[in-house]
Amino acid sequence: MFKIGCHLSSSGGYLAMGKEAVRIGANAFQFFTRNPRGGAAKPLDLNDIKAFEDYRKENDILSVLAHAPYTMNACAKDEGLREFAKNTMLDDIMRLDNIEGAMYNFHPGSHLKQISEDECLALISESINIALEKTSGVTAVIENTAGQGTNLGFTFEQIAQIISKVDDKSRVGVCIDTCHAYAA
């Protein structure tokens, strides 16, 4: 079965997103885990998640894909920026562990001409490993980039190098953004 959906606002919670997906004829949807420019996530509402999971089963919502904030850079030279990325990824994936089969989509990062590409790709893998080791059900999904500036993840070789260093390959995937691929 095809999974068809779109990006929805998370402002009303999971159940509201599920209802909007069904209203527009979608069986999948994506949302930002927090403000796309970073910052704190809203407190988890476990009652909303339970209501969503019940609604989801009744309405054949097949996939839930959360998108990380754009400001995450797991391979920044600055340790503070790397810690923000690691902590955000871990926090988001821990939250998503409450949603059956959830996926976590993120852009790999940017070397900013401050460290080598190989070192950057290893740091991205390290962040994925930390998050997956502390969670159980979410799949980390690497989204290809358009390759502007010093962004990484715009070649299949770069994505393969990240995946090669991920310990639990059963919980890592790739999202091919066709617009990004065309631009790259």
Side-chain angles (χ1 to χ4, degrees):
M1 176 180 274
F2 286 106
K3 297 175 184 177
I4 304 293
C6 64
H7 202 107
L8 297 175
S9 169
S10 62
S11 63
Y14 290 96
L15 181 58
M17 287 188 289
K19 287 181 176 181
E20 179 63 10
V22 169
R23 187 189 75 73
I24 64 172
N27 61 6
F29 64 87
Q30 180 174 342
F31 66 97
F32 279 105
T33 60
R34 56 192 72 219
N35 183 306
R37 301 290 171 212
K42 293 181 348 185
L44 269 183
D45 181 345
L46 295 177
N47 291 326
D48 177 50
I49 291 171
K50 168 75 169 98
F52 165 71
E53 285 291 356
D54 292 343
Y55 183 83
R56 175 186 186 181
K57 288 176 179 91
E58 294 168 6
N59 291 279
D60 298 321
I61 298 173
L62 303 176
S63 293
V64 176
L65 180 67
H67 197 297
Y70 296 125
T71 54
M72 276 183 30
N73 188 3
C75 63
K77 181 177 181 181
D78 180 279
E79 190 174 331
L81 293 176
R82 273 198 326 272
E83 283 303 307
F84 169 79
K86 285 180 194 175
N87 292 336
T88 299
M89 182 179 285
L90 177 58
D91 180 53
D92 284 348
I93 291 178
M94 287 175 77
R95 294 159 152 282
L96 289 168
D97 247 351
N98 292 287
I99 306 289
E100 186 179 328
M103 295 174 281
Y104 184 67
N105 187 57
F106 65 97
H107 299 236
S110 181
H111 61 71
L112 302 171
K113 298 182 181 179
Q114 296 174 341
I115 58 178
S116 73
E117 286 187 15
D118 287 340
E119 186 178 356
C120 276
L121 298 171
L123 288 168
I124 295 162
S125 301
E126 178 185 310
S127 289
I128 296 169
N129 284 330
I130 289 168
L132 295 184
E133 286 170 9
K134 296 180 179 182
T135 58
S136 62
V138 178
T139 299
V141 179
I142 304 163
E143 182 179 338
N144 65 307
T145 66
Q148 305 107 316
T150 58
N151 285 341
L152 295 171
F154 65 94
T155 69
F156 293 128
E157 292 81 7
Q158 290 173 344
I159 294 169
Q161 190 171 335
I162 294 167
I163 293 171
S164 75
K165 291 180 175 60
V166 172
D167 297 331
D168 185 354
K169 291 179 181 43
S170 72
R171 291 183 54 212
V172 66
V174 178
C175 169
I176 302 297
D177 182 314
T178 55
C179 185
H180 290 172
Y182 179 77

